[in-house]
Amino acid sequence: VVAQLGIALVLFGLAIWFMRRELVPIEHLGVAADALGKGRDVPDLAFSGGTREVRNAATAFHTMRIRLRRSIQQRTEMLAGVSHDLRTPLTRMKLSLALLPESPETKELENDVVDMERMIEGYLAFARGEGDEDPALVDLSEILEDVAAGARRDNASIDLSWQGDMGVELRPLAIKRCLTNLVSNALRHGSNVRLEAVRGRTSVEIVVDDDGPGIPQDRYEDVFRPFFRLDESRNADTGGVGLGLTIARDVARSHGGDVVLGPSPLGGLRVIVRIPL
Ligand SMILES: Nc1ncnc2c1ncn2[C@@H]1O[C@H](COP(=O)(O)OP(=O)(O)O)[C@@H](O)[C@H]1O
Ligand SMILES: [Mg+2]
């Protein structure tokens, strides 16, 4: 009986050892998939052990990661190429328009050409910034201070606060651009702006509040569309070209998070940027 028990124990031990050996690579795969979704460095998945199936899954994952990165890069580059090439005919149009006698029609055309130029420049500026910035563990509070300081240089009043550990893994320049866009929107539409970051269990939320007119709830999705501007007719010359929120959401999503809108307790718009930890 003792011998039988011994054999059973050995077999049991072997089973556990085998299970563990097979489960560890799967766990690695899970960690890697999670990192990929958050736009982070993906740990290398070179398994020597593991069954053939697990190794195949790892290889497939690795290939997928490369293809994914390439296709995103290709999309950005293609749009940048198209934008760049559009400049030449636009310049020609501008020259031709300048030679025409001035009339309300040519004035209108001229404004359209100027608008198109600004849209193209806006996109090109974004595509240029989309370099290979690597995510790093950074102090988010420093980025927040930076963004607030930038706003204060323009004599804006902005309240800044944060709670909890602000050490977060992210792409600092991209996040700064995202927050700068949101804060400048808030300042353009309101006069009091609050910027607050809170670290939760699974994510960091950065909240931008203003006391402006806000956005009607049925336009919440529209304003994220590229080049969409709500107040086009109201004031066409107030800075942006309608890429601010598009870029902000793009940055958040590339970190595996999102940007959402809501009503602010200050009376205007509340924008929440969520970055998963
Ligand atoms: N804080 C805000 N309060 C009210 N409206 C806003 C706010 N932020 C953005 N919007 C609206 O959303 C539109 C899109 O914003 P955005 O993408 O930043 O483009 P832009 O600032 O270039 O117009 C703006 O034209 C504006 O109508
Ligand atoms: Mg804007």
Side-chain angles (χ1 to χ4, degrees):
V1 178
V2 173
Q4 266 172 356
L5 205 66
I7 289 169
L9 267 177
V10 167
L11 284 179
F12 187 62
L14 265 175
I16 288 196
W17 174 80
F18 185 76
M19 282 268 292
R20 279 208 54 77
R21 207 181 69 129
E22 290 315 311
L23 285 181
V24 165
I26 292 174
E27 204 182 316
H28 285 323
L29 202 56
V31 170
D34 185 58
L36 182 72
K38 292 173 182 167
R40 296 187 188 154
D41 260 354
V42 176
D44 210 4
L45 285 174
F47 306 135
S48 44
T51 58
R52 192 163 52 82
E53 288 82 355
V54 171
R55 280 202 308 275
N56 285 349
T59 311
F61 179 84
H62 185 70
T63 317
M64 177 188 80
R65 179 181 61 145
I66 291 170
R67 285 199 189 118
L68 216 55
R69 189 177 271 194
R70 202 186 296 146
S71 90
I72 291 171
Q73 198 183 339
Q74 229 158 38
R75 183 202 60 176
T76 311
E77 277 171 10
M78 192 191 78
L79 275 168
V82 170
S83 307
H84 191 266
D85 290 350
L86 279 174
R87 282 159 139 184
T88 316
L90 267 180
T91 308
R92 264 203 306 271
M93 280 168 77
K94 236 169 59 177
L95 286 176
S96 310
L97 273 170
L99 294 177
L100 289 176
E102 216 169 294
S103 72
E105 285 80 29
T106 54
K107 193 78 210 122
E108 216 169 282
L109 267 176
E110 237 171 66
N111 286 341
D112 282 347
V113 170
V114 168
D115 274 355
M116 284 170 76
E117 259 185 331
R118 291 180 55 206
M119 287 158 88
I120 286 170
E121 293 309 322
Y123 179 74
L124 283 174
F126 162 70
R128 266 196 298 277
E130 271 304 89
D132 291 318
E133 191 191 1
D134 284 326
L137 183 64
V138 297
D139 188 349
L140 179 58
S141 66
E142 277 176 18
I143 298 178
L144 295 169
E145 295 266 25
D146 252 20
V147 172
R152 286 187 188 123
R153 263 196 296 282
D154 302 328
N155 291 321
S157 98
I158 169 165
D159 271 348
L160 171 63
S161 62
W162 60 81
Q163 290 166 38
D165 176 16
M166 286 290 115
V168 187
E169 193 173 337
L170 43 78
R171 292 185 292 129
L173 290 178
I175 291 290
K176 187 178 172 192
R177 183 202 287 240
C178 162
L179 297 178
T180 304
N181 286 354
L182 300 179
V183 166
S184 70
N185 276 352
L187 287 167
R188 185 181 307 152
H189 297 278
S191 42
N192 289 306
V193 172
R194 211 161 56 197
L195 179 60
E196 188 180 16
V198 180
R199 188 193 187 98
R201 218 169 41 79
T202 57
S203 65
V204 169
E205 281 191 356
I206 306 151
V207 183
V208 185
D209 281 307
D210 70 56
D211 60 351
I215 294 177
Q217 200 176 339
D218 59 337
R219 305 327 282 284
Y220 279 178
E221 276 314 302
D222 290 338
V223 290
F224 284 104
R225 295 205 325 256
F227 305 117
F228 183 93
R229 308 192 63 208
L230 257 188
D231 38 11
E232 191 136 35
S233 49
R234 256 191 289 159
N235 39 0
D237 49 8
T238 46
V241 294
L243 278 180
L245 286 172
T246 315
I247 290 172
R249 176 171 264 180
D250 192 76
V251 168
R253 289 192 170 168
S254 74
H255 285 81
D258 206 355
V259 175
V260 292
L261 307 179
S264 166
L266 295 187
L269 185 70
R270 163 169 278 186
V271 188
I272 304 175
V273 182
R274 194 184 49 82
I275 305 289
L277 291 169

